[in-house]
């Protein structure tokens, strides 16, 4: 009877450790903005991402994010939990530069080091490039045989030499060679259940470095890719509200916005006013335009407000809403030919526009 109870208890623990939300809340800790080590409590957006994950199925997520929603932290927690509690799994975290990559990897290391010792899988070693879950004693019982490694997007060979089950591609729109790297990198992840590719990024315009991310988002929105497109507007977050004064009166611009986005309550308009007045704007960008960049209302606003737009963002948004995704071309003699890596970007209008 005692043996049966022990087996049931062990099975219950194993089942809990397969639950991403449980591991996040009960076992993982993070460093807060105040510099304190605290339990990881998923925020509004991170809970949404937890709900979107197909449990141990084939997951392909393409996340267009506004700033500071915790998508990168969530991605690191997903890769860590999936890798450390399963045998013979490889997780790879890759970001746009060394600083961001190291930041995410240090987060994964903290998830591990701050866990209760009795629930940590054996660790063979941990260095600047890898966290290996295995028995350091080669003569002892076998460990998980799994590992998390990191790389930066500047390395074209990143991830190509081995099979990856869990890939976290962070700030993809800022990768210097996104199209070339993604071609080889994504093929390293088998098209099988219990695998995942998580691409997350803020927008970086529609051309240049950001073009590959923009085009992937447009295709995913049209259902033309095996990726679930995810966009979180700041309107979705109930925390982004402020008290409404008795004499509140919407401006002409705000009335026009409410007509397009009925979710813009007075409380949310007050939040928008506060941010624009107190935290936005510089010598290079108007406060209203920066707010659109940091807190986009929809995917197109995210793309046209980022980068370095020359024309007014709202006018570009109207035009882009009537166009097809960009295609890339190169000149071959006096002919223009399709070329996935070409320097010329051309789109077509889906409907005539004259104004």
């Amino acid at each position: 009877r005692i043996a049966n109870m022990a087996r049931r208890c062990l099975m219950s623990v194993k089942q809990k450790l397969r639950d991403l939300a449980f591991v996040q809340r009960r076992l993982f800790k993070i460093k807060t903005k105040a510099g304190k080590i605290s339990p990881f409590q998923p925020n509004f957006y991170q809970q949404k991402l937890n709900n979107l994950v197909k449990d141990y199925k084939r997951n392909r997520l393409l996340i267009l994010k506004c700033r500071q929603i915790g998508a990168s932290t969530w991605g690191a927690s997903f890769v860590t939990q999936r890798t450390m509690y399963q045998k013979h799994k490889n997780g790879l975290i890759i970001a746009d530069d060394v600083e961001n990559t190291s930041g995410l990897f240090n987060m994964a290391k903290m998830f591990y080091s701050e866990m209760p010792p009795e629930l940590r899988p054996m660790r063979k070693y941990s260095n600047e490039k890898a966290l290996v879950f295995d028995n350091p004693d080669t003569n002892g019982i076998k460990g998980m045989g799994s590992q998390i490694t990191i790389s930066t997007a500047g390395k074209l060979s990143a991830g190509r030499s081995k099979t990856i089950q869990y890939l976290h591609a962070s700030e993809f729109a800022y990768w210097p060679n996104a199209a070339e790297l993604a071609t080889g990198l994504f093929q390293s992840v088998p098209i099988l259940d219990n695998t995942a590719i998580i691409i997350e990024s803020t927008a970086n315009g529609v051309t240049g470095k950001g073009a590959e991310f923009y085009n992937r988002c447009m295709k995913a929105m049209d259902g033309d890719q095996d990726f679930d497109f995810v966009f979180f507007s700041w309107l979705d977050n109930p925390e982004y509200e402020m008290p409404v004064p008795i004499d509140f009166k919407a401006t002409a611009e705000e009335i026009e916005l409410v007509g397009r986005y009925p979710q813009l309550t007075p409380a949310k308009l007050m939040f928008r006013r506060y941010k624009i007045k107190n935290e936005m704007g510089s010598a290079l960008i108007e406060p209203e335009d920066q707010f659109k960049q940091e807190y986009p209302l929809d995917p197109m606003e995210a793309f046209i407000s980022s980068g370095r737009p020359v024309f007014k963002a709202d006018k570009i948004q109207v035009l882009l809403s009537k166009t097809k995704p960009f295609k890339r071309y190169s000149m071959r003699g006096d002919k223009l030919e399709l070329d996935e890596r070409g320097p010329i970007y051309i789109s077509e209008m889906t409907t005539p526009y004259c104004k």
Side-chain angles (χ1 to χ4, degrees):
R1 181 180 298 177
I2 293 176
N4 288 337
M5 289 177 62
R7 278 194 292 271
R8 286 197 296 271
C9 183
L10 181 60
M11 289 177 62
S12 176
V13 171
K14 286 183 175 180
Q15 190 171 10
K16 289 290 187 183
L17 296 180
R18 287 175 58 86
D19 184 338
L20 175 62
F22 174 85
V23 172
Q24 287 170 334
R25 292 179 180 277
R26 300 295 182 89
L27 304 183
F28 284 174
K29 292 185 179 181
I30 60 172
K31 182 181 289 187
T32 66
K33 293 179 181 179
K36 297 181 179 180
I37 306 300
S38 300
F40 178 19
Q41 296 298 318
N43 64 26
F44 173 83
Y45 297 107
Q46 291 163 337
Q47 291 179 52
K48 290 279 189 179
L49 288 169
N50 280 347
N51 295 334
L52 286 172
V53 170
K54 306 179 187 78
D55 197 27
Y56 293 89
K57 301 297 183 181
R58 187 174 79 242
N59 284 283
R60 302 292 187 268
L61 296 181
L62 183 59
I63 305 167
L64 170 59
K65 62 182 186 180
C66 53
R67 299 188 189 279
Q68 301 296 317
I69 69 169
S72 297
T73 301
W74 178 87
S77 74
F78 175 87
V79 171
T80 304
Q81 182 263 346
R82 287 296 200 262
T83 305
M84 69 163 48
Y85 286 129
Q86 296 186 86
K87 289 189 174 183
H88 311 300
K89 301 300 181 187
N90 289 322
L92 174 63
I93 297 172
I94 181 168
D96 56 320
D97 60 29
V98 173
E99 183 179 356
N100 286 337
T101 303
S102 296
L104 291 174
F105 193 44
N106 288 335
M107 197 178 296
K109 289 180 177 180
M110 179 174 289
F111 290 150
Y112 177 83
S113 64
E114 292 292 330
M115 288 173 56
E118 61 273 16
L119 292 178
R120 289 185 208 144
M122 287 186 290
R123 183 183 67 185
K124 187 173 183 177
Y125 64 84
S126 173
N127 57 31
E128 293 181 353
K129 297 293 183 182
L131 177 58
V132 178
F133 306 112
D134 213 339
N135 192 344
D137 181 2
T138 55
N139 296 319
I141 60 172
K142 291 185 177 180
M144 286 297 187
S146 298
Q147 64 178 338
I148 301 172
T149 55
I150 64 167
S151 188
T152 58
K155 297 182 178 180
L156 283 173
S157 61
R160 294 189 182 209
S161 61
K162 61 184 178 183
T163 300
I164 303 164
Q165 282 77 37
Y166 302 107
L167 171 64
H168 176 198
S170 184
E171 290 299 352
F172 186 80
Y174 294 84
W175 289 15
N177 44 12
E180 298 157 280
L181 182 54
T183 299
L185 185 61
F186 294 171
Q187 291 185 55
S188 300
V189 183
I191 308 175
L192 299 172
D193 281 349
N194 200 12
T195 63
I197 300 176
I198 299 166
I199 305 173
E200 48 88 0
S201 185
T202 49
N204 187 24
V206 300
T207 60
K209 283 184 181 180
E212 180 69 14
F213 183 61
Y214 168 74
N215 286 328
R216 283 181 176 272
C217 287
M218 293 301 103
K219 289 178 180 178
M221 289 171 67
D222 291 338
D224 194 27
Q225 275 195 349
D226 186 28
F227 277 83
D228 293 323
F229 177 74
V230 182
F231 171 74
F232 292 129
S233 167
W234 68 273
L235 294 180
D236 299 327
N237 193 338
E239 297 177 4
Y240 289 164
E241 296 181 351
M242 294 190 72
V244 182
I246 298 176
D247 59 348
F248 173 84
K249 185 176 181 181
T251 66
E253 179 196 13
E254 290 172 340
I255 292 172
E256 189 273 332
L257 279 174
V258 171
R260 289 163 50 202
Y261 304 97
Q263 313 97 301
L264 268 171
T265 61
K268 290 191 178 296
L269 288 174
M270 288 303 301
F271 170 85
R272 178 178 180 272
R273 285 184 185 182
Y274 178 87
K275 288 287 183 177
I276 290 174
K277 180 179 180 180
N278 296 284
E279 300 179 11
M280 301 292 154
S282 69
L284 299 176
I285 187 170
E286 293 295 324
E288 292 81 1
D289 290 336
Q290 187 176 4
F291 183 85
K292 291 178 181 178
Q293 181 175 315
E294 303 285 339
Y295 298 92
L297 288 163
D298 57 46
M300 291 313 304
E301 185 169 90
F303 284 111
I304 64 175
S305 298
S306 58
R308 294 293 184 200
V310 175
F311 303 103
K312 292 294 291 182
D314 55 344
K315 303 299 182 184
I316 298 174
Q317 188 170 7
V318 172
L319 292 172
L320 282 179
S321 68
K322 300 175 182 294
T323 62
K324 298 178 182 178
F326 284 91
K327 293 182 180 179
R328 298 177 71 168
Y329 295 82
S330 290
M331 292 299 299
R332 302 280 191 262
D334 58 352
K335 293 183 179 179
L336 193 64
E337 296 183 359
L338 280 170
D339 181 352
E340 290 184 354
R341 300 178 184 177
I344 303 171
Y345 297 80
I346 298 178
S347 181
E348 299 176 19
M349 300 200 75
T350 56
T351 56
Y353 178 76
C354 297
K355 190 171 182 180

